């Protein structure tokens, strides 16, 4: 029997080159959108509506929704939530619906709008996500969010971590070099993610915004057992 | 004084995201187009005309040119030269003009059609190329050819090797994660390129065509001192 595939696509703009034959897409934006999504569900948010544009986000804001809007690492003026996972570690949002737009993260989610199943991946839910994926006998695409459609290191390493776990289960195969490269990067990085990413452009940007605490949290694996997935255009927790 | 940039762009389709501000583009297709180009100049070819399509190649063939045409690793029917560097290690082509079209390699050259200076890079001319680039005080983009516009490991490692040498000279800076990632991959690969690429898709494809000898040759650094560059649409040797 032919093993199902697990492949890595580095950025949303490359998705059309990869999207054939994949049953499941895992959207990854480690710094910080998919880490925020996992954190919010872990702390009891009921539903997240991802939107691409600030215009859409503003429409929801006017309707009275809780809306998180981030651009270039900062909360957009007029919105009350941004892209720091620490903003979601409280009971205020428990049971609520949250609307979310970020620079890169929600773009990956929208790029994969036609896929059969969309899941949200990050270091925070790494193991539970891998366990779930290994149970499925399906072709899986790991889709990084990148930075303005350019390759980004932290998403590629997270994708490499998932890919590595799935390949090591002996139940999957990879054929693309992007998957091989992502696994190599993960293997080099895994003993010290924070140090490995020292030279990365995104870490430098966030460091300049005094967000080292956010970065360390987002790079710490297995802090939650949530698996966010898309249903009817919104995100819910699968488990 | 701000140091000039050296950056890595993994594939020709991503070139528009990177092409601003670069004075020099180095096109890289390790397996095997840019390795062939370096080999051909090393053995005395006077000029190489890179063409994108088989139609163009056929037009040159009818005019009596020596034409090399490769698709999917094999010589195209009707042409007498392909993409094996060993075909160019003789005196038959000395002083001659060669027309060349390959699956990926010439696409990178054409993608960078508007750049100020285009050079040809490979492991074969690694050191002489780096020495030349370090002498220039210019922004340099290292452009991989990829495989059907997807990331490919061997080009990225070669770009990482050049980037590493330039950064280590302390005369250049990198800001993109693609450059950081390429350097990491190079550092993991440099003790054993052939072993590192064992899992790469391109090596597997060529291995199936019994081209392990070609691969080993193309992965052996510093076999020539040629620096091919583009002038009036053709390639000549700079040195």
């Amino acid at each position: 029997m032919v093993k199902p595939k697990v492949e890595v696509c580095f950025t949303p703009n490359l998705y059309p080159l990869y999207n054939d034959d994949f049953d499941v897409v895992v959207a990854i934006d480690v710094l910080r959108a998919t880490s925020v999504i996992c954190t919010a569900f872990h702390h009891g948010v009921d539903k997240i509506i991802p939107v691409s544009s600030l215009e859409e986000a503003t429409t929801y804001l006017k309707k009275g929704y809780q809306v998180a809007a981030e651009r270039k690492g900062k909360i957009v003026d007029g919105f009350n939530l941004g892209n720091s996972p620490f903003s979601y570690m409280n009971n205020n949002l428990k049971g609520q619906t949250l609307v979310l737009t970020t620079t890169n993260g929600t773009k990956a989610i929208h790029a994969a709008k036609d896929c059969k199943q969309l899941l949200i991946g990050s270091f925070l839910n790494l193991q539970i996500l891998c366990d779930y994926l290994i149970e499925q006998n399906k072709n899986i695409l790991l889709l990084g969010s990148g930075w303005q459609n350019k390759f980004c290191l932290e998403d590629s390493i997270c994708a490499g971590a998932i890919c590595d776990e799935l390949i090591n289960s002996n139940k999957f195969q990879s054929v693309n070099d992007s998957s091989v490269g992502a696994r190599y990067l993960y293997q080099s990085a895994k003993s010290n993610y924070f140090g490995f990413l020292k030279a990365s452009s995104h870490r430098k940007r966030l460091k300049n915004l005094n967000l080292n605490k956010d970065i360390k949290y987002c790079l710490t694996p297995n802090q939650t057992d949530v698996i966010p997935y898309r249903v009817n255009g919104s995100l819910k927790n699968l488990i």
Side-chain angles (χ1 to χ4, degrees), chain A:
Chain A
M1 204 181 81
V2 178
K3 291 177 184 177
K5 289 183 290 188
V6 55
E7 302 290 356
V8 175
C9 174
F10 289 133
T11 47
N13 56 336
L14 299 178
Y15 179 70
L17 293 176
Y18 288 84
N19 67 350
D20 287 351
D21 303 327
F22 289 98
D23 309 298
V24 181
V25 174
V26 179
I28 300 167
D29 183 18
V30 169
L31 297 175
R32 295 168 288 168
T34 60
S35 301
V36 160
I37 291 167
C38 291
T39 304
F41 280 117
H42 185 74
H43 288 272
V45 163
D46 176 57
K47 187 163 96 168
I48 296 179
I49 304 173
V51 302
S52 295
S53 69
L54 285 177
E55 291 68 27
E56 249 184 302
T58 306
T59 308
Y60 278 104
L61 192 67
K62 287 179 183 163
K63 287 181 188 166
Y65 279 83
Q66 293 281 356
V67 185
E70 172 266 358
R71 288 294 181 272
K72 295 186 178 174
K74 295 179 184 171
I75 298 180
V76 180
D77 283 349
F79 295 87
N80 49 359
L81 283 163
N83 209 12
S84 172
F86 291 99
S87 312
Y88 301 83
M89 291 179 189
N90 58 58
N91 288 323
N92 301 345
L93 296 168
K94 204 164 183 169
Q96 294 215 34
T97 293
L98 186 70
V99 176
L100 175 70
T101 181
T102 73
T103 309
N104 297 288
T106 45
K107 281 183 192 164
I109 294 170
H110 287 281
K113 61 181 181 296
D114 296 328
C115 72
K116 292 178 196 158
Q117 187 179 18
L118 182 106
L119 303 173
I120 298 297
S122 69
F123 282 111
L124 306 181
N125 68 342
L126 186 62
Q127 193 59 55
I128 190 81
L129 177 65
C130 289
D131 292 346
Y132 174 78
L133 292 172
I134 290 169
E135 279 174 24
Q136 320 293 312
N137 187 32
K138 292 177 176 171
N139 292 325
I140 295 161
L141 185 67
L142 309 169
L143 177 61
S145 296
W147 177 256
Q148 297 174 337
N149 271 323
K150 288 179 179 174
F151 174 89
C152 104
L153 206 49
E154 64 276 9
D155 292 348
S156 306
I157 291 166
C158 185
I162 300 169
C163 191
D164 200 62
E165 182 84 9
L166 269 54
I167 293 289
N168 290 343
S169 75
N170 285 320
K171 294 182 179 169
F172 291 86
Q173 58 167 332
S174 286
V175 300
N176 281 294
D177 271 16
S178 47
S179 316
V180 179
R183 287 182 72 200
Y184 275 131
L185 288 169
Y186 159 68
Q187 285 157 4
S188 299
K190 65 182 174 183
S191 63
N192 180 6
Y193 293 121
F194 194 73
F196 191 83
L197 288 170
K198 200 170 56 182
S200 87
S201 55
H202 210 141
R203 219 201 99 179
K204 283 185 193 162
R205 269 188 295 275
L206 295 183
K207 189 184 166 196
N208 291 340
L209 299 168
N210 290 318
L211 294 175
N212 260 344
K213 193 179 158 202
D214 279 34
I215 300 171
K216 283 187 178 162
Y217 170 76
C218 293
L219 296 178
T220 306
N222 307 327
Q223 299 187 66
T224 180
D225 282 345
V226 301
I227 302 180
Y229 75 110
R230 183 167 57 196
V231 57
N232 298 327
S234 297
L235 301 173
K236 300 275 281 183
N237 184 14
L238 192 67
I239 293 181

PDB file of all heavy atoms in Angstrom, chain A residues 110-134:
ATOM      1  N   HIS A 110      -6.772  31.660   4.687  1.00  0.00           N
ATOM      2  CA  HIS A 110      -7.605  31.992   3.531  1.00  0.00           C
ATOM      3  C   HIS A 110      -7.062  31.392   2.237  1.00  0.00           C
ATOM      4  O   HIS A 110      -7.833  31.041   1.349  1.00  0.00           O
ATOM      5  CB  HIS A 110      -7.760  33.511   3.416  1.00  0.00           C
ATOM      6  CG  HIS A 110      -8.658  34.067   4.471  1.00  0.00           C
ATOM      7  ND1 HIS A 110     -10.026  34.003   4.386  1.00  0.00           N
ATOM      8  CD2 HIS A 110      -8.391  34.632   5.668  1.00  0.00           C
ATOM      9  CE1 HIS A 110     -10.561  34.537   5.473  1.00  0.00           C
ATOM     10  NE2 HIS A 110      -9.580  34.922   6.279  1.00  0.00           N
ATOM     11  N   ALA A 111      -5.729  31.269   2.140  1.00  0.00           N
ATOM     12  CA  ALA A 111      -5.141  30.652   0.934  1.00  0.00           C
ATOM     13  C   ALA A 111      -5.669  29.235   0.758  1.00  0.00           C
ATOM     14  O   ALA A 111      -5.936  28.786  -0.356  1.00  0.00           O
ATOM     15  CB  ALA A 111      -3.617  30.632   1.037  1.00  0.00           C
ATOM     16  N   ALA A 112      -5.868  28.557   1.884  1.00  0.00           N
ATOM     17  CA  ALA A 112      -6.324  27.162   1.845  1.00  0.00           C
ATOM     18  C   ALA A 112      -7.851  27.085   1.939  1.00  0.00           C
ATOM     19  O   ALA A 112      -8.400  26.139   2.479  1.00  0.00           O
ATOM     20  CB  ALA A 112      -5.663  26.380   2.975  1.00  0.00           C
ATOM     21  N   LYS A 113      -8.533  28.045   1.361  1.00  0.00           N
ATOM     22  CA  LYS A 113      -9.988  28.129   1.550  1.00  0.00           C
ATOM     23  C   LYS A 113     -10.740  26.955   0.940  1.00  0.00           C
ATOM     24  O   LYS A 113     -11.839  26.633   1.386  1.00  0.00           O
ATOM     25  CB  LYS A 113     -10.534  29.462   1.012  1.00  0.00           C
ATOM     26  CG  LYS A 113     -10.314  29.707  -0.462  1.00  0.00           C
ATOM     27  CD  LYS A 113     -10.877  31.078  -0.854  1.00  0.00           C
ATOM     28  CE  LYS A 113     -10.694  31.356  -2.340  1.00  0.00           C
ATOM     29  NZ  LYS A 113      -9.272  31.444  -2.744  1.00  0.00           N
ATOM     30  N   ASP A 114     -10.164  26.309  -0.073  1.00  0.00           N
ATOM     31  CA  ASP A 114     -10.889  25.220  -0.736  1.00  0.00           C
ATOM     32  C   ASP A 114     -10.512  23.831  -0.229  1.00  0.00           C
ATOM     33  O   ASP A 114     -10.995  22.832  -0.756  1.00  0.00           O
ATOM     34  CB  ASP A 114     -10.633  25.281  -2.246  1.00  0.00           C
ATOM     35  CG  ASP A 114     -11.178  26.560  -2.846  1.00  0.00           C
ATOM     36  OD1 ASP A 114     -12.206  27.056  -2.338  1.00  0.00           O
ATOM     37  OD2 ASP A 114     -10.570  27.063  -3.811  1.00  0.00           O
ATOM     38  N   CYS A 115      -9.634  23.758   0.762  1.00  0.00           N
ATOM     39  CA  CYS A 115      -9.191  22.422   1.182  1.00  0.00           C
ATOM     40  C   CYS A 115     -10.298  21.708   1.956  1.00  0.00           C
ATOM     41  O   CYS A 115     -11.191  22.333   2.521  1.00  0.00           O
ATOM     42  CB  CYS A 115      -7.915  22.518   2.013  1.00  0.00           C
ATOM     43  SG  CYS A 115      -8.146  23.183   3.656  1.00  0.00           S
ATOM     44  N   LYS A 116     -10.209  20.373   1.976  1.00  0.00           N
ATOM     45  CA  LYS A 116     -11.268  19.573   2.618  1.00  0.00           C
ATOM     46  C   LYS A 116     -11.300  19.784   4.120  1.00  0.00           C
ATOM     47  O   LYS A 116     -12.355  19.892   4.725  1.00  0.00           O
ATOM     48  CB  LYS A 116     -11.054  18.087   2.297  1.00  0.00           C
ATOM     49  CG  LYS A 116     -11.279  17.766   0.829  1.00  0.00           C
ATOM     50  CD  LYS A 116     -10.997  16.282   0.552  1.00  0.00           C
ATOM     51  CE  LYS A 116     -10.831  16.066  -0.943  1.00  0.00           C
ATOM     52  NZ  LYS A 116     -10.073  14.834  -1.247  1.00  0.00           N
ATOM     53  N   GLN A 117     -10.110  19.780   4.735  1.00  0.00           N
ATOM     54  CA  GLN A 117     -10.045  19.985   6.185  1.00  0.00           C
ATOM     55  C   GLN A 117      -8.876  20.908   6.521  1.00  0.00           C
ATOM     56  O   GLN A 117      -7.744  20.665   6.074  1.00  0.00           O
ATOM     57  CB  GLN A 117      -9.868  18.646   6.915  1.00  0.00           C
ATOM     58  CG  GLN A 117      -9.959  18.798   8.437  1.00  0.00           C
ATOM     59  CD  GLN A 117      -9.806  17.477   9.186  1.00  0.00           C
ATOM     60  OE1 GLN A 117      -9.320  16.499   8.635  1.00  0.00           O
ATOM     61  NE2 GLN A 117     -10.205  17.457  10.442  1.00  0.00           N
ATOM     62  N   LEU A 118      -9.139  21.954   7.273  1.00  0.00           N
ATOM     63  CA  LEU A 118      -8.080  22.865   7.692  1.00  0.00           C
ATOM     64  C   LEU A 118      -7.900  22.779   9.205  1.00  0.00           C
ATOM     65  O   LEU A 118      -8.860  22.915   9.969  1.00  0.00           O
ATOM     66  CB  LEU A 118      -8.390  24.310   7.312  1.00  0.00           C
ATOM     67  CG  LEU A 118      -7.246  25.255   7.713  1.00  0.00           C
ATOM     68  CD1 LEU A 118      -6.449  25.690   6.497  1.00  0.00           C
ATOM     69  CD2 LEU A 118      -7.741  26.451   8.486  1.00  0.00           C
ATOM     70  N   LEU A 119      -6.655  22.555   9.615  1.00  0.00           N
ATOM     71  CA  LEU A 119      -6.320  22.518  11.035  1.00  0.00           C
ATOM     72  C   LEU A 119      -5.310  23.626  11.336  1.00  0.00           C
ATOM     73  O   LEU A 119      -4.642  24.136  10.441  1.00  0.00           O
ATOM     74  CB  LEU A 119      -5.710  21.161  11.404  1.00  0.00           C
ATOM     75  CG  LEU A 119      -6.545  19.920  11.096  1.00  0.00           C
ATOM     76  CD1 LEU A 119      -5.724  18.655  11.366  1.00  0.00           C
ATOM     77  CD2 LEU A 119      -7.823  19.910  11.922  1.00  0.00           C
ATOM     78  N   ILE A 120      -5.203  23.967  12.619  1.00  0.00           N
ATOM     79  CA  ILE A 120      -4.286  25.019  13.054  1.00  0.00           C
ATOM     80  C   ILE A 120      -3.139  24.383  13.834  1.00  0.00           C
ATOM     81  O   ILE A 120      -3.369  23.668  14.818  1.00  0.00           O
ATOM     82  CB  ILE A 120      -5.030  26.035  13.952  1.00  0.00           C
ATOM     83  CG1 ILE A 120      -6.155  26.721  13.171  1.00  0.00           C
ATOM     84  CG2 ILE A 120      -4.059  27.056  14.553  1.00  0.00           C
ATOM     85  CD1 ILE A 120      -5.713  27.561  11.997  1.00  0.00           C
ATOM     86  N   GLY A 121      -1.914  24.665  13.384  1.00  0.00           N
ATOM     87  CA  GLY A 121      -0.742  24.074  14.033  1.00  0.00           C
ATOM     88  C   GLY A 121       0.186  25.126  14.620  1.00  0.00           C
ATOM     89  O   GLY A 121       0.272  26.250  14.129  1.00  0.00           O
ATOM     90  N   SER A 122       0.870  24.754  15.681  1.00  0.00           N
ATOM     91  CA  SER A 122       1.866  25.620  16.319  1.00  0.00           C
ATOM     92  C   SER A 122       2.733  24.711  17.184  1.00  0.00           C
ATOM     93  O   SER A 122       2.454  23.512  17.314  1.00  0.00           O
ATOM     94  CB  SER A 122       1.177  26.683  17.184  1.00  0.00           C
ATOM     95  OG  SER A 122       0.584  26.076  18.317  1.00  0.00           O
ATOM     96  N   PHE A 123       3.777  25.260  17.771  1.00  0.00           N
ATOM     97  CA  PHE A 123       4.539  24.453  18.725  1.00  0.00           C
ATOM     98  C   PHE A 123       3.677  24.098  19.940  1.00  0.00           C
ATOM     99  O   PHE A 123       3.843  23.039  20.550  1.00  0.00           O
ATOM    100  CB  PHE A 123       5.797  25.195  19.183  1.00  0.00           C
ATOM    101  CG  PHE A 123       6.902  25.152  18.171  1.00  0.00           C
ATOM    102  CD1 PHE A 123       7.280  26.290  17.491  1.00  0.00           C
ATOM    103  CD2 PHE A 123       7.574  23.964  17.902  1.00  0.00           C
ATOM    104  CE1 PHE A 123       8.298  26.252  16.549  1.00  0.00           C
ATOM    105  CE2 PHE A 123       8.601  23.912  16.967  1.00  0.00           C
ATOM    106  CZ  PHE A 123       8.966  25.062  16.282  1.00  0.00           C
ATOM    107  N   LEU A 124       2.739  24.979  20.272  1.00  0.00           N
ATOM    108  CA  LEU A 124       1.959  24.794  21.502  1.00  0.00           C
ATOM    109  C   LEU A 124       1.144  23.508  21.493  1.00  0.00           C
ATOM    110  O   LEU A 124       0.959  22.881  22.529  1.00  0.00           O
ATOM    111  CB  LEU A 124       1.036  26.005  21.713  1.00  0.00           C
ATOM    112  CG  LEU A 124       1.703  27.387  21.702  1.00  0.00           C
ATOM    113  CD1 LEU A 124       0.674  28.473  21.944  1.00  0.00           C
ATOM    114  CD2 LEU A 124       2.805  27.464  22.746  1.00  0.00           C
ATOM    115  N   ASN A 125       0.615  23.136  20.324  1.00  0.00           N
ATOM    116  CA  ASN A 125      -0.209  21.917  20.235  1.00  0.00           C
ATOM    117  C   ASN A 125       0.467  20.832  19.389  1.00  0.00           C
ATOM    118  O   ASN A 125      -0.208  19.996  18.774  1.00  0.00           O
ATOM    119  CB  ASN A 125      -1.608  22.253  19.693  1.00  0.00           C
ATOM    120  CG  ASN A 125      -1.601  22.687  18.236  1.00  0.00           C
ATOM    121  OD1 ASN A 125      -0.555  23.063  17.713  1.00  0.00           O
ATOM    122  ND2 ASN A 125      -2.758  22.645  17.602  1.00  0.00           N
ATOM    123  N   LEU A 126       1.785  20.863  19.350  1.00  0.00           N
ATOM    124  CA  LEU A 126       2.561  19.999  18.449  1.00  0.00           C
ATOM    125  C   LEU A 126       2.227  18.511  18.604  1.00  0.00           C
ATOM    126  O   LEU A 126       1.856  17.835  17.636  1.00  0.00           O
ATOM    127  CB  LEU A 126       4.057  20.237  18.715  1.00  0.00           C
ATOM    128  CG  LEU A 126       5.055  19.543  17.809  1.00  0.00           C
ATOM    129  CD1 LEU A 126       4.890  19.995  16.365  1.00  0.00           C
ATOM    130  CD2 LEU A 126       6.484  19.861  18.272  1.00  0.00           C
ATOM    131  N   GLN A 127       2.354  17.984  19.821  1.00  0.00           N
ATOM    132  CA  GLN A 127       2.229  16.538  20.000  1.00  0.00           C
ATOM    133  C   GLN A 127       0.805  16.037  19.752  1.00  0.00           C
ATOM    134  O   GLN A 127       0.603  15.050  19.044  1.00  0.00           O
ATOM    135  CB  GLN A 127       2.688  16.139  21.404  1.00  0.00           C
ATOM    136  CG  GLN A 127       2.894  14.631  21.550  1.00  0.00           C
ATOM    137  CD  GLN A 127       3.935  14.094  20.568  1.00  0.00           C
ATOM    138  OE1 GLN A 127       5.058  14.567  20.526  1.00  0.00           O
ATOM    139  NE2 GLN A 127       3.558  13.125  19.734  1.00  0.00           N
ATOM    140  N   ILE A 128      -0.178  16.764  20.303  1.00  0.00           N
ATOM    141  CA  ILE A 128      -1.565  16.318  20.131  1.00  0.00           C
ATOM    142  C   ILE A 128      -1.962  16.366  18.657  1.00  0.00           C
ATOM    143  O   ILE A 128      -2.652  15.473  18.141  1.00  0.00           O
ATOM    144  CB  ILE A 128      -2.544  17.167  21.007  1.00  0.00           C
ATOM    145  CG1 ILE A 128      -3.940  16.545  21.027  1.00  0.00           C
ATOM    146  CG2 ILE A 128      -2.623  18.600  20.547  1.00  0.00           C
ATOM    147  CD1 ILE A 128      -4.096  15.427  21.992  1.00  0.00           C
ATOM    148  N   LEU A 129      -1.462  17.384  17.958  1.00  0.00           N
ATOM    149  CA  LEU A 129      -1.742  17.510  16.526  1.00  0.00           C
ATOM    150  C   LEU A 129      -1.112  16.355  15.751  1.00  0.00           C
ATOM    151  O   LEU A 129      -1.766  15.741  14.892  1.00  0.00           O
ATOM    152  CB  LEU A 129      -1.209  18.857  16.025  1.00  0.00           C
ATOM    153  CG  LEU A 129      -1.355  19.140  14.530  1.00  0.00           C
ATOM    154  CD1 LEU A 129      -2.822  19.238  14.126  1.00  0.00           C
ATOM    155  CD2 LEU A 129      -0.632  20.439  14.159  1.00  0.00           C
ATOM    156  N   CYS A 130       0.146  16.050  16.060  1.00  0.00           N
ATOM    157  CA  CYS A 130       0.825  14.932  15.381  1.00  0.00           C
ATOM    158  C   CYS A 130       0.098  13.620  15.653  1.00  0.00           C
ATOM    159  O   CYS A 130      -0.112  12.815  14.737  1.00  0.00           O
ATOM    160  CB  CYS A 130       2.280  14.837  15.821  1.00  0.00           C
ATOM    161  SG  CYS A 130       3.311  16.169  15.200  1.00  0.00           S
ATOM    162  N   ASP A 131      -0.286  13.406  16.911  1.00  0.00           N
ATOM    163  CA  ASP A 131      -1.009  12.174  17.257  1.00  0.00           C
ATOM    164  C   ASP A 131      -2.283  12.056  16.425  1.00  0.00           C
ATOM    165  O   ASP A 131      -2.608  10.987  15.894  1.00  0.00           O
ATOM    166  CB  ASP A 131      -1.375  12.166  18.755  1.00  0.00           C
ATOM    167  CG  ASP A 131      -0.136  12.053  19.641  1.00  0.00           C
ATOM    168  OD1 ASP A 131       0.944  11.712  19.119  1.00  0.00           O
ATOM    169  OD2 ASP A 131      -0.255  12.313  20.860  1.00  0.00           O
ATOM    170  N   TYR A 132      -2.994  13.160  16.318  1.00  0.00           N
ATOM    171  CA  TYR A 132      -4.246  13.165  15.542  1.00  0.00           C
ATOM    172  C   TYR A 132      -3.969  12.882  14.059  1.00  0.00           C
ATOM    173  O   TYR A 132      -4.648  12.059  13.430  1.00  0.00           O
ATOM    174  CB  TYR A 132      -4.955  14.512  15.706  1.00  0.00           C
ATOM    175  CG  TYR A 132      -6.183  14.664  14.840  1.00  0.00           C
ATOM    176  CD1 TYR A 132      -7.384  14.057  15.191  1.00  0.00           C
ATOM    177  CD2 TYR A 132      -6.126  15.390  13.656  1.00  0.00           C
ATOM    178  CE1 TYR A 132      -8.509  14.175  14.385  1.00  0.00           C
ATOM    179  CE2 TYR A 132      -7.245  15.522  12.841  1.00  0.00           C
ATOM    180  CZ  TYR A 132      -8.433  14.916  13.208  1.00  0.00           C
ATOM    181  OH  TYR A 132      -9.534  15.026  12.402  1.00  0.00           O
ATOM    182  N   LEU A 133      -2.942  13.556  13.507  1.00  0.00           N
ATOM    183  CA  LEU A 133      -2.635  13.390  12.077  1.00  0.00           C
ATOM    184  C   LEU A 133      -2.205  11.956  11.765  1.00  0.00           C
ATOM    185  O   LEU A 133      -2.539  11.403  10.713  1.00  0.00           O
ATOM    186  CB  LEU A 133      -1.533  14.379  11.656  1.00  0.00           C
ATOM    187  CG  LEU A 133      -1.913  15.861  11.662  1.00  0.00           C
ATOM    188  CD1 LEU A 133      -0.686  16.741  11.415  1.00  0.00           C
ATOM    189  CD2 LEU A 133      -2.998  16.169  10.638  1.00  0.00           C
ATOM    190  N   ILE A 134      -1.452  11.364  12.689  1.00  0.00           N
ATOM    191  CA  ILE A 134      -0.969   9.996  12.455  1.00  0.00           C
ATOM    192  C   ILE A 134      -2.138   9.005  12.421  1.00  0.00           C
ATOM    193  O   ILE A 134      -2.119   8.029  11.679  1.00  0.00           O
ATOM    194  CB  ILE A 134       0.091   9.604  13.522  1.00  0.00           C
ATOM    195  CG1 ILE A 134       1.377  10.401  13.272  1.00  0.00           C
ATOM    196  CG2 ILE A 134       0.392   8.111  13.498  1.00  0.00           C
ATOM    197  CD1 ILE A 134       2.421  10.316  14.377  1.00  0.00           C
TER     198      ILE A 134
END
